[in-house]
Amino acid sequence: MTTETVKKAANGLNGTVTIPGDKSISHRSILFSSIAKGTSRISGFLKGQDCLSTIACMKQMGVKIEETDDTITVYGRGFEGLQEPERVLDVGNSGTTIRLLTGLLSGTSFYSVLEGDDSIAKRPMSRVTKPLKEMGALIDGREEGNLTPISVRGSELTGIDYTSPVASAQVKSAILLAGLRASGVTVVREPSVSRDHTERMLNAFGVHVEQDPHKGEVKVEGGAELTARDVEVPGDISSAAFFLVAACMTPNSSLELKNVGINPTRTGILDVLEAMGASLEIYNERTETGEPVADIRVTYSQLKGTEIGGELIPRLIDEIPAIAVLATQANGTTVIKDAAELKVKETNRIDTMVNQLKTLGAQIEATDDGMIIQGGTPLLGGRVSSFHDHRVGMSLALCGLLSDTPVVVDEAEAVDVSYPGFFQELYRLK
Ligand code: SPQ
């Protein structure tokens, strides 16, 4: 177990941070280039544990993938080029890997088994296995296919018209990946629009995905083939979030965040920061492999509490732990609702954040679908744990920037899942 100690940043945080590659887009770049025909070169790839798990799984299926310091080269041989893995596919801590792979494996001609770590063993899989079974997929697992290990025997699939009860990019993507191998058309509808990296990247690989964001609907036709192409992965706004929050709440701070993905399905945190009165400048806007990217300047200012819910939630779901920390420092109360999905992440992020923040002096209460945070509360030093949840670990670390005595974060190695080098970067900016 690794422990990190974060001390007060009396002079604020200042400097430039180049944001590491987007985790969601990095996963998809490996999956899609593996089933495409031809060679794809991926730059800006996030070498976090989760994305390395996706690479390891695809290699087990016979895909040749070469890694150098700044490029990943994938030699795709088409969907038919995938081979039956000899051993269980280990997804580590990655929900994205297991959910998207289950969809992709459903339409193969072979047998495979997926499992991961203790956290993956608790995360619900029926949200993807249920619709996939409706398409004809032969899937099993504990609790009738809800829990790992998950076995998939590849089979003939038929397109479906599926209305998902949750706004989830993992559900949508798993069904679309199966839809590529199914006969007929596959339609996925969701209550509000989740991140659309799968749709954008499939389009970039030559597959026509029809999107109607007003209806929350996407459509793909079976049989479409992917053509290899080079991919530039933008920086992850979910990683930038920790520095956005750090600068907003630590007096004397001003940070320049370079290379931040600003896909509108992910920028809920920017909307919230603006509503709270943050000082943000977004500039140098450009597009990389169909994804909007920009640089952001963020400067300390006194913020006010806000209410977060509804369609905003899928656009900032992974940033809620960091927003909860920020809300302790705003004037007034912040209410986060409609976020029950937080309960099925790497940990139950409502309970973990509420319990851990309370030990640091925060006035925060859990609700059924979110939390209520009283602002203007001084944070205290103390010992907390990430509970093996990368976003919890990084969010709690930010509290140490303000507390008079240090915040000690146990199980700090969890951050390697999405942001290797996070603590070094945080210490460098003081
Ligand atoms: O991959 P994993 O473990 O599910 O990662 C998380 C995270 O915090 O990094 C969630 F725990 O991000 C998900 C995100 O919450 C990544 C993701 C994707 O790449 O498609 C989509 C979201 O999950 P969901 O369940 O809403 O589809």
Side-chain angles (χ1 to χ4, degrees):
M1 180 184 85
T2 313
T3 292
E4 292 285 343
T5 302
V6 183
K7 296 183 186 152
K8 189 167 182 156
N11 302 317
L13 295 182
N14 288 280
T16 300
V17 187
T18 299
I19 301 300
D22 186 285
K23 178 161 78 69
S24 296
I25 298 176
S26 294
H27 283 302
R28 287 157 173 84
S29 69
I30 296 298
L31 295 174
F32 299 173
S33 55
S34 291
I35 58 170
K37 284 201 171 125
T39 303
S40 302
R41 279 171 204 82
I42 305 163
S43 55
F45 182 82
L46 172 70
K47 288 191 177 167
Q49 287 304 329
D50 271 15
C51 302
L52 296 178
S53 296
T54 295
I55 290 188
C57 289
M58 296 320 292
K59 280 185 175 171
Q60 272 184 263
M61 286 184 260
V63 181
K64 186 175 158 203
I65 303 177
E66 281 170 2
E67 299 159 54
T68 62
D69 275 354
D70 52 9
T71 311
I72 309 284
T73 307
V74 181
Y75 299 88
R77 288 190 290 144
F79 204 92
E80 305 294 345
L82 298 181
Q83 293 162 13
E84 183 169 81
E86 286 176 9
R87 307 181 76 89
V88 171
L89 298 167
D90 180 3
V91 305
N93 186 246
S94 177
T96 306
T97 309
I98 195 162
R99 299 220 175 94
L100 270 57
L101 267 184
T102 303
L104 188 147
L105 289 165
S106 297
T108 62
S109 53
F110 54 74
Y111 176 74
S112 50
V113 179
L114 296 146
E115 69 174 350
D117 67 7
D118 291 349
S119 148
I120 284 293
K122 296 191 198 90
R123 293 181 71 180
M125 285 295 292
S126 57
R127 53 181 54 205
V128 294
T129 58
K130 185 179 158 285
L132 291 171
K133 284 185 197 170
E134 282 175 31
M135 297 175 81
L138 302 175
I139 300 177
D140 215 340
R142 291 180 296 137
E143 288 184 6
E144 294 174 21
N146 186 35
L147 295 173
T148 58
I150 293 290
S151 66
V152 186
R153 182 167 296 286
S155 58
E156 303 264 313
L157 304 175
T158 311
I160 48 167
D161 186 328
Y162 185 69
T163 300
S164 173
V166 282
S168 159
Q170 294 176 356
V171 171
K172 177 173 61 178
S173 304
I175 299 171
L176 289 178
L177 283 169
L180 290 178
R181 301 290 295 169
S183 58
V185 174
T186 293
V187 184
V188 186
R189 300 170 212 276
E190 48 184 353
S192 45
V193 179
S194 64
R195 64 193 69 189
D196 67 355
H197 305 303
T198 292
E199 297 88 308
R200 285 175 189 252
M201 202 181 290
L202 281 177
N203 278 321
F205 275 78
V207 174
H208 178 60
V209 183
E210 228 175 282
Q211 281 176 272
D212 186 340
H214 301 293
K215 288 195 206 152
E217 185 182 294
V218 288
K219 228 182 248 181
V220 76
E221 182 119 24
E225 298 224 332
L226 285 76
T227 308
R229 60 158 294 155
D230 291 349
V231 177
E232 248 179 291
V233 179
D236 198 326
I237 192 165
S238 298
S239 298
F242 302 106
F243 292 106
L244 287 167
V245 164
C248 280
M249 72 177 193
T250 313
N252 305 315
S253 297
S254 184
L255 291 177
E256 188 182 25
L257 309 180
K258 293 258 190 211
N259 187 37
V260 187
I262 52 161
N263 178 320
T265 60
R266 297 284 298 281
T267 48
I269 180 154
L270 299 181
D271 296 354
V272 164
L273 291 178
E274 263 158 21
M276 294 175 88
S279 161
L280 291 177
E281 192 196 337
I282 299 167
Y283 54 98
N284 202 7
E285 290 190 38
R286 54 210 186 264
T287 303
E288 287 170 9
T289 323
E291 291 281 350
V293 187
D295 299 333
I296 302 178
R297 160 78 58 193
V298 52
T299 306
Y300 167 79
S301 55
Q302 181 55 56
L303 303 187
K304 55 178 190 290
T306 189
E307 194 170 309
I308 303 170
E311 295 194 355
L312 199 48
I313 294 295
R315 296 179 54 231
L316 50 60
I317 187 75
D318 296 339
E319 288 65 79
I320 292 176
I323 291 171
V325 172
L326 181 63
T328 66
Q329 301 307 304
N331 286 329
T333 305
T334 294
V335 178
I336 300 172
K337 57 180 190 179
D338 306 322
E341 275 293 296
L342 289 173
K343 296 179 181 173
V344 290
K345 300 296 181 185
E346 282 81 330
T347 57
N348 175 334
R349 286 181 177 161
I350 297 178
D351 288 353
T352 323
M353 284 308 295
V354 167
N355 293 337
Q356 297 293 285
L357 276 177
K358 272 186 178 167
T359 70
L360 298 177
Q363 290 182 39
I364 179 169
E365 295 301 331
T367 61
D368 271 356
D369 63 352
M371 38 191 126
I372 300 173
I373 306 133
Q374 305 304 333
T377 313
L379 292 171
L380 313 170
R383 192 162 204 129
V384 287
S385 172
S386 74
F387 288 94
H388 298 292
D389 184 331
H390 52 131
R391 303 214 188 275
V392 167
M394 289 185 272
S395 301
L396 294 172
L398 302 180
C399 300
L401 300 171
L402 297 178
S403 56
D404 285 333
T405 53
V407 168
V408 178
V409 183
D410 286 335
E411 287 159 338
E413 69 281 2
V415 309
D416 292 346
V417 154
S418 64
Y419 203 150
F422 167 77
F423 284 100
Q424 290 72 11
E425 206 67 337
L426 189 65
Y427 302 151
R428 180 179 68 78
L429 298 165
K430 285 208 231 174

